[in-house]
Amino acid sequence: MSQRVLEPSTHRRRTTGRTIALLLAVAPAALVAAPRQTIPLERGWQVRLAPGDAAAKDHPKAARWLLATVPGYVQTDLIAARITPDPFVGLNEATIQWVGRSDWDYRGTLNASPALLARGHVDLVFDGLDTFAEVFVNGTKLLAADNAHRRWRADAKPLLRAGANEIRIAFKSPLGVLKPVVAGIANPLPGEYDSTAGDEPEGRQTSPYIRKPKYHYGWDWGPRILNVGPNGAVKVDAWDDARIETLRVQQEAVTPAEARLTAEVLIVADRAATVQVDASVTGPGGTPVRASRTVQVVAGENRVAVLLAIANPQLWYPAGYGAQPLYTVTIDVSLDGEVIDRQQRSTGIRTVELVREKDALGRGFLLKVNGIPMFAKGANLIPFDSFGPRVTDARMRSMLADAKAANMNMIRIWGGGMYLPDSFFDAADALGLMIWSDFMFGGAVTPYDRDFRETVRIEAEEQVDRVQAHPSIVLWSGNNEVLSGWETWSDRTAFKARVGPEERERVGVGMAILFNQVLRDAAERRDADVPYWPGSPSSNYDGKPDQDGDGDRHYWDVWGGKKPATAYLDSCPRFMSEYGLQAMPDMATIARFAKPKDYAIESPVMKAHQKFLKGEGQGRLLDYIRMRYREPRDFADFVYLSQVMQADGIQLGALHHRACRPVTTGSLYWQLNDVWPGASWSSIDYYGRWKALHFAARRFFAPVAIAAARKENGSTSVTLISDATQPVAARWIVRTIDVTGRELARRENAVSLAPLSATGVGTFTDADLFGTADRRTAFAVAELVIDGRVASRSLVAALPEKAMALPDPGFVTRWSSAEGRPSLTITATRLARALWIDFGTLPVQASDNFLDLLPGESVTVTITGKASTASLKRALRLRTLGAEKAK
């Protein structure tokens, strides 16, 4: 089979090539440097099993050259070629495991024109190679890679010839490389999760020894798929005398009158020369501010800083606190009067502080942006897909828009995944979402050898340089649960006992050097505007990590420790960066990976898509449902009840955290999204469908809210919460009603909500709230009223819902059309607790859902998705904790 040619993918790129050829025709390259030319190599790649790989016996089609997508992974190419089935469907995860155990070759052809070969340097650049790879040009080795989180560059010009050139990338299986290494280690480092595929012995994981996305090895919310392939863009970078390696934008000082920025550019030159560096910054008004320097560069790396002063700067604010104006910083490097390279960065002007004041409880954890104390409201973000390269910018923007729609202002990028592209941060900048960004360490204990530390240093510096200009980034964090795990996890305790004090010291010191020196230096030196935090959870080495009184917490006594959700009320942490409850995804999502015969709580397919405790999480879900709610009537009811349980529990925790302000300054639940369709802690499932939790988050993260939290001892605390920066005139009402709407008692008062505050209204006993009312039919309703409208509501019952006599709500429905979309109005005759507007397996979503409707109240929702009004009417089920009724 002939090799396909790697070509530039747009007309503009081809025109650039012709321009360079013309320049070369009229002047010798040595006298006139042409502009730098970057050509993406996206097309014409092929992939096959490496010759001699044992998997060819069972998969002969994979041994032939197949079309490959770059960036991409072997696995998705094989799925596209129907050589292996979609691992997201049914029990197919097991059928793809052979791919990650095999070696693979990619190939393509680069046509090198005389103009290209006349350039001083023709670099091949790989923005990601996952993971053990060697690159060959015309059969000669160009480079070797061993870190999926790094960029790899080498000058290929000496190996190129005019015309067709073969580019080959040989990937080795990560297991094939590392299993023999780990087998020879008496006490291998503790990792994350033992293999569910039987390809690694328990307790002998290879994942600690490789710089590869940790979730590829399997997690308790996603499959084990050891991806192999070029996970980043591949391109040719042609340049002559000098090029820009990086552009960083640093804030030197910010006042209302002036912002001083430094545009620091790293210039790589191949000889001594005089260059001009022109810098400009253009703000929302469109008028640029310019500055320039003429500098002498030497062969090698040259750092040049240009100061830019902006009068009356417009500040970037998090969502809810102001606008998000953005500035564009541009750098031109000229040689002999000709611009030879240009880079741009989008940025915003803001100040960020991490305030760690000591008090009687310990030390705080408060982020201030532009001097405003933030209460961080949001969720943890895991990778968007098991196959990262296929995630589109639109998909990322949609997820972040959904986060903002739920009144979130912060997203934490979890450390077991991959570094996200600039487009992700562009979207966060525009939406006003603060980003807490972990470095990519997911939980495994790290090696302490110099080579490992050095590759991490390069990785970290590249990644910080790449994205540090984005104003949305407000915190860099060294790792996820590596430090806290070392302190408390049972396998770490056993490891420390086995290896003895000297090795224990080497491992512990190695981690301290990595997270408190190497990564801290990369973050603080290269992004001085943003605080660094050595890990999550952490106390910044002031004491033990994961404590209520100091630093951030990951609280898993609920769910992991089987405690009821009311345990969230037992303490006020300084910053809750992880807590969560699982739920099933929507039935429409389940229908994408399962058949009706699989619709059972513990069917093999459901357990395969439940990664907690290797499928036993289905039982844990049922346990949590039974704590408070009825026994599921059928599988669809189990799905519904799981979502109610998740939403009610996280709402209780999030409102409690907000009520603990100023002791508590953040509440980030686990987790926002999914990597595949299945049971998990997410509030938005793999296909973008909102679970009940996400609808609830829109209410419990609202700028003003009322929290009514009942503890197991029968006392209910009512707190008024405001994130507004100005006082808010309001009225609180606490009344007791029965399920028919009859009012039994009322308390109310006018109040001025203080800015950025949580104000307690009072603590009430069950006797105070319910008196002699029948507690099977009575609810306390706490409401916050602003400008005559109920801005927030919280319901409290003295009994778990399973012990209550909840009625058929007596729904009345009416269909209409709103802006060309179906619209549904629902009116409740009696109390409707936890209303879920359900359309079964139809791929649609209501504009609002998971509602408590008091007797006589109505809600109108519009329906988006591909379904006719007739099919919507047929499928509609109005589920509540009291009754389910078909309409």
Side-chain angles (χ1 to χ4, degrees):
M1 183 181 295
S2 63
Q3 297 180 21
R4 296 169 66 97
V5 176
L6 302 180
E7 293 284 1
S9 60
T10 67
H11 175 73
R12 180 186 60 79
R13 293 168 186 145
R14 289 192 292 271
T15 302
T16 302
R18 288 198 295 270
T19 303
I20 291 173
L22 178 61
L23 287 170
L24 289 168
V26 298
L31 298 179
V32 178
R36 179 180 181 178
Q37 180 189 20
T38 300
I39 307 171
L41 300 181
E42 299 169 345
R43 299 180 180 178
W45 288 96
Q46 297 174 312
V47 66
R48 71 174 180 187
L49 273 169
D53 193 284
K57 180 179 178 181
D58 295 324
H59 306 280
K61 291 182 180 179
R64 307 169 194 155
W65 288 110
L66 307 166
L67 292 179
T69 300
V70 174
Y73 282 128
V74 174
Q75 281 86 345
T76 47
D77 293 327
L78 296 176
I79 294 167
R82 299 187 177 182
I83 290 174
T84 192
D86 186 344
F88 288 7
V89 175
L91 301 174
N92 289 344
E93 180 191 346
T95 68
I96 205 168
Q97 299 305 315
W98 66 275
V99 183
R101 301 169 191 161
S102 303
D103 299 338
W104 297 89
D105 283 347
Y106 281 75
R107 74 172 180 183
T109 300
L110 169 62
N111 279 335
S113 66
L116 185 66
L117 294 177
R119 302 304 300 264
H121 305 269
V122 183
D123 295 349
L124 274 178
V125 182
F126 302 85
D127 284 345
L129 292 170
D130 192 355
T131 297
F132 295 115
E134 293 182 333
V135 178
F136 298 85
V137 176
N138 296 324
T140 300
K141 182 176 172 181
L142 177 69
L143 64 84
D146 61 358
N147 184 331
H149 300 302
R150 280 178 54 182
R151 180 188 303 113
W152 300 91
R153 171 191 289 269
D155 191 349
K157 181 178 176 180
L159 304 180
L160 294 175
R161 57 184 177 234
N165 294 266
E166 182 188 64
I167 311 297
R168 185 169 65 88
I169 314 172
F171 286 94
K172 293 290 186 182
S173 161
L175 292 183
V177 172
L178 289 176
K179 279 182 70 175
V181 175
V182 176
I185 301 173
N187 293 291
L189 296 171
E192 285 99 1
Y193 289 91
D194 281 323
S195 174
T196 56
D199 48 16
E200 290 183 295
E202 288 192 8
R204 289 190 166 270
Q205 300 171 25
T206 58
S207 64
Y209 299 93
I210 188 172
R211 292 306 296 143
K212 175 180 177 62
K214 298 301 184 181
Y215 80 107
H216 288 178
Y217 289 83
W219 221 267
D220 57 5
W221 35 253
R224 179 181 175 90
I225 302 177
L226 294 177
N227 288 314
V228 176
N231 59 312
V234 181
K235 51 202 170 188
V236 170
D237 190 8
W239 56 286
D240 291 325
D241 301 279
R243 62 176 173 83
I244 299 173
E245 173 69 13
T246 59
L247 167 60
R248 295 190 300 113
V249 181
Q250 203 70 55
Q251 293 181 178
E252 300 298 331
V254 177
T255 69
E258 183 183 67
R260 285 185 291 143
L261 307 182
T262 295
E264 183 182 282
V265 61
L266 176 62
I267 299 172
V268 175
D270 64 4
R271 63 180 177 88
T274 300
V275 300
Q276 181 169 314
V277 180
D278 295 306
S280 68
V281 57
T282 305
T287 302
V289 174
R290 304 182 189 277
S292 65
R293 290 185 61 187
T294 300
V295 297
Q296 298 290 324
V297 297
V298 299
E301 294 186 345
N302 303 263
R303 293 191 180 276
V304 181
V306 182
L307 184 65
L308 294 161
I310 302 169
N312 306 312
Q314 298 184 49
L315 299 187
W316 181 95
Y317 284 90
Y321 294 91
Q324 291 80 43
L326 297 173
Y327 290 77
T328 299
V329 176
T330 304
I331 288 284
D332 286 337
V333 174
S334 300
L335 178 66
D336 299 328
E338 298 289 337
V339 175
I340 59 172
D341 203 0
R342 168 178 289 179
Q343 281 202 18
Q344 287 187 332
R345 291 287 184 272
S346 175
T347 194
I349 300 171
R350 81 304 179 238
T351 62
V352 183
E353 304 170 75
L354 178 59
V355 181
R356 300 268 291 132
E357 292 181 350
K358 287 187 176 181
D359 56 24
L361 300 174
R363 296 192 70 170
F365 188 97
L366 171 66
L367 279 164
K368 287 186 176 181
V369 178
N370 300 327
I372 301 174
M374 294 286 125
F375 189 99
K377 304 178 296 185
N380 290 263
L381 184 85
I382 64 172
F384 288 89
D385 200 300
S386 290
F387 307 111
R390 71 181 183 183
V391 177
T392 64
D393 291 349
R395 184 172 166 189
M396 291 187 289
R397 284 195 301 270
S398 177
M399 184 64 66
L400 291 180
D402 284 350
K404 183 176 181 179
N407 289 306
M408 297 183 187
N409 60 24
M410 176 177 274
I411 298 296
R412 173 184 170 231
I413 302 173
W414 169 77
M418 58 188 64
Y419 297 99
L420 293 172
D422 272 279
S423 55
F424 171 88
F425 297 97
D426 286 338
D429 293 345
L431 291 166
L433 290 172
M434 296 181 287
I435 300 297
W436 165 326
S437 187
D438 284 1
F439 287 98
M440 292 299 114
F441 292 88
V445 174
T446 55
Y448 53 78
D449 62 277
R450 291 181 181 273
D451 289 346
F452 183 85
R453 195 178 300 156
E454 178 63 9
T455 194
V456 170
R457 179 192 67 79
I458 296 169
E459 164 196 323
E461 291 180 353
E462 286 181 353
Q463 296 295 344
V464 174
D465 284 348
R466 183 176 61 84
V467 300
Q468 59 81 225
H470 291 280
S472 53
I473 300 174
V474 298
L475 190 72
W476 288 101
S477 177
N479 67 80
N480 171 79
E481 296 184 351
V482 177
L483 304 178
S484 57
W486 181 247
E487 291 286 339
T488 61
W489 292 359
S490 60
D491 62 336
R492 275 65 169 162
T493 302
F495 172 81
K496 288 185 277 190
R498 286 196 307 271
V499 300
E502 291 185 3
E503 181 69 1
R504 182 167 65 240
E505 181 75 7
R506 281 190 287 268
V507 174
V509 169
M511 287 192 292
I513 292 172
L514 185 66
F515 298 119
N516 205 32
Q517 294 182 26
V518 174
L519 295 181
R520 185 184 292 276
D521 179 71
E524 291 184 344
R525 184 164 51 86
R526 307 178 96 84
D527 194 10
D529 304 340
V530 174
Y532 174 77
W533 193 240
S536 182
S538 172
S539 63
N540 200 24
Y541 289 98
D542 291 332
K544 289 185 176 181
D546 208 13
Q547 304 297 311
D548 277 339
D550 192 352
D552 69 313
R553 280 223 68 186
H554 291 189
Y555 184 79
W556 287 106
D557 286 359
V558 176
W559 183 264
K562 302 183 183 180
K563 288 186 177 180
T566 50
Y568 289 137
L569 307 178
D570 292 344
S571 65
C572 290
R574 308 319 294 253
F575 192 109
M576 185 68 87
S577 49
E578 276 192 29
Y579 65 106
L581 284 162
Q582 265 202 6
M584 295 293 292
D586 193 78
M587 285 298 298
T589 290
I590 292 171
R592 296 285 294 270
F593 69 80
K595 297 178 180 179
K597 67 182 179 63
D598 304 314
Y599 295 174
I601 296 172
E602 294 198 326
S603 72
V605 169
M606 292 305 147
K607 293 186 74 171
H609 286 254
Q610 164 63 268
K611 294 303 181 181
F612 182 73
L613 295 180
K614 300 179 180 179
E616 297 308 312
Q618 293 298 88
R620 184 70 55 91
L621 270 175
L622 196 54
D623 289 343
Y624 267 89
I625 290 170
R626 287 167 172 163
M627 281 186 194
R628 187 167 186 95
Y629 309 99
R630 64 169 179 265
E631 192 73 16
R633 296 165 180 155
D634 54 27
F635 180 74
D637 197 44
F638 167 74
V639 170
Y640 160 73
L641 290 172
S642 75
Q643 291 202 20
V644 173
M645 176 273 296
Q646 180 192 41
D648 280 351
I650 300 305
Q651 176 171 278
L652 185 69
L655 285 172
H656 172 67
H657 299 151
R658 297 185 70 189
C660 285
R661 186 174 187 167
V663 172
T664 303
T665 57
S667 182
L668 308 180
Y669 65 73
W670 186 269
Q671 64 207 53
L672 180 64
N673 61 314
D674 277 329
V675 300
W676 82 325
S680 82
W681 295 263
S682 71
S683 62
I684 302 176
D685 73 25
Y686 176 75
Y687 294 109
R689 298 186 177 98
W690 289 22
K691 295 182 184 177
L693 171 55
H694 209 76
F695 288 101
R698 187 159 61 186
R699 290 183 278 274
F700 63 65
F701 279 152
V704 293
I706 188 167
R710 182 184 181 277
K711 292 187 175 181
E712 295 290 343
N713 65 8
S715 65
T716 298
S717 298
V718 178
T719 307
L720 310 180
I721 299 160
S722 176
D723 291 334
T725 56
Q726 300 294 325
V728 177
R731 190 170 195 85
W732 64 264
I733 303 170
V734 177
R735 56 197 173 110
T736 306
I737 65 170
D738 67 14
V739 294
T740 67
R742 183 168 60 99
E743 188 172 290
L744 307 176
R746 173 185 284 253
R747 298 173 177 84
E748 61 182 299
N749 206 349
V751 66
S752 177
L753 302 181
L756 307 172
S757 69
T759 305
V761 167
T763 299
F764 307 96
T765 67
D766 284 352
D768 295 331
L769 290 179
F770 302 106
T772 60
D774 183 348
R775 297 185 183 184
R776 297 176 305 143
T777 59
F779 278 86
V781 182
E783 294 175 320
L784 184 62
V785 179
I786 299 174
D787 295 332
R789 181 184 65 85
V790 177
S792 178
R793 173 187 287 163
S794 188
L795 266 61
V796 176
L799 300 174
E801 281 83 351
K802 66 182 180 182
M804 299 190 72
L806 297 175
D808 176 344
F811 288 124
V812 177
T813 60
R814 178 173 58 84
W815 287 90
S816 59
S817 179
E819 298 181 353
R821 292 183 295 179
S823 176
L824 173 64
T825 299
I826 304 166
T827 303
T829 305
R830 293 170 289 278
L831 176 72
R833 171 76 177 93
L835 165 63
W836 183 254
I837 305 166
D838 190 354
F839 295 99
T841 59
L842 291 181
V844 297
Q845 181 170 286
S847 58
D848 200 4
N849 219 329
F850 187 63
L851 302 154
D852 292 327
L853 293 183
L854 301 186
E857 285 188 336
S858 298
V859 63
T860 298
V861 299
T862 55
I863 313 300
T864 57
K866 296 180 180 180
S868 66
T869 301
S871 62
L872 292 173
K873 290 180 178 179
R874 287 193 300 269
L876 176 64
R877 296 291 183 274
L878 300 180
R879 299 184 184 274
T880 71
L881 293 178
E884 174 190 338
K885 188 172 183 180
K887 298 300 291 185

